[in-house]
Amino acid sequence: KQQRNTRQRQLVLDVVRGRRDHPTAEQIYQSVREQDAHVSCGTVYRNLNLLCDNREIYRVVMSNSDRFDLRTDPHYHIHCLVCDSVVDVPYTYDRAYDETLEQETGYRVLCHHMVVEGFALTANVPKRALCNNCLLYTSPSPRDISGS
């Protein structure tokens, strides 16, 4: 069924395309509301789902809350457990992995998704690769992060 492109849908799409920080639905809703106070939360969620279904944006499935990405090409993400930021990983998508999985499992693999979780080790990472909050953060031991 052909969907008409509503003003609200275009506003949601423009907000996602205008950001590079993989915003949550709530962050998108807040940005949309700054531009049009009459747009409801349900309208934003409904349009995010439709835009993902139409592959105009990409949903990054996270354990705590989904994020939305303007990039729809296959690529990986890293999630900072310190500041909760999500950034694109600068590595090429590994199509050979899909082929290997097909051969070993007998499944037709369409794609795979990967979100790496961690935190910046400021001593070993160039400053351009760090999220702003991690620049100020003294990295804990992995034991401190896991709660063990």
Side-chain angles (χ1 to χ4, degrees):
K1 178 180 171 182
Q2 179 66 23
Q3 303 274 331
R4 63 187 180 103
N5 189 19
T6 66
R7 185 183 60 76
Q8 292 94 341
R9 185 170 310 126
Q10 188 62 50
L11 188 55
V12 171
L13 181 59
D14 290 346
V15 166
V16 175
R17 286 184 174 166
R19 297 181 65 151
R20 301 288 183 266
D21 61 343
H22 302 81
T24 64
E26 179 62 28
Q27 290 169 323
I28 294 165
Y29 170 64
Q30 293 302 327
S31 293
V32 166
R33 292 281 295 197
E34 289 173 8
Q35 297 178 48
D36 184 345
H38 295 86
V39 177
S40 72
C41 187
T43 297
V44 170
Y45 277 78
R46 196 168 33 258
N47 281 294
L48 284 170
N49 288 329
L50 185 62
L51 290 166
C52 288
D53 291 346
N54 291 343
R55 297 187 173 147
E56 294 180 67
I57 62 173
Y58 178 74
R59 179 189 316 271
V60 182
V61 178
M62 308 284 297
S63 57
N64 56 352
S65 72
D66 291 352
R67 304 297 188 93
F68 295 89
D69 194 348
L70 66 121
R71 284 184 59 188
T72 58
D73 62 303
H75 64 285
Y76 305 121
H77 297 92
I78 190 161
H79 175 219
C80 181
L81 297 173
V82 174
C83 69
D84 203 34
S85 66
V86 176
V87 296
D88 295 333
V89 173
Y91 293 111
T92 305
Y93 181 85
D94 186 3
R95 294 190 191 283
Y97 184 68
D98 295 343
E99 294 167 9
T100 300
L101 283 174
E102 280 190 5
Q103 292 169 359
E104 293 183 6
T105 65
Y107 279 80
R108 174 69 175 116
V109 176
L110 303 175
C111 65
H112 65 276
H113 307 276
M114 180 170 53
V115 176
V116 176
E117 292 187 330
F119 56 92
L121 298 173
T122 55
N124 301 326
V125 180
K127 285 189 184 240
R128 63 178 160 61
L130 295 177
C131 53
N132 289 334
N133 290 334
C134 292
L135 286 170
L136 305 173
Y137 185 78
T138 303
S139 299
S141 70
R143 204 177 76 208
D144 294 338
I145 286 285
S146 68
S148 306

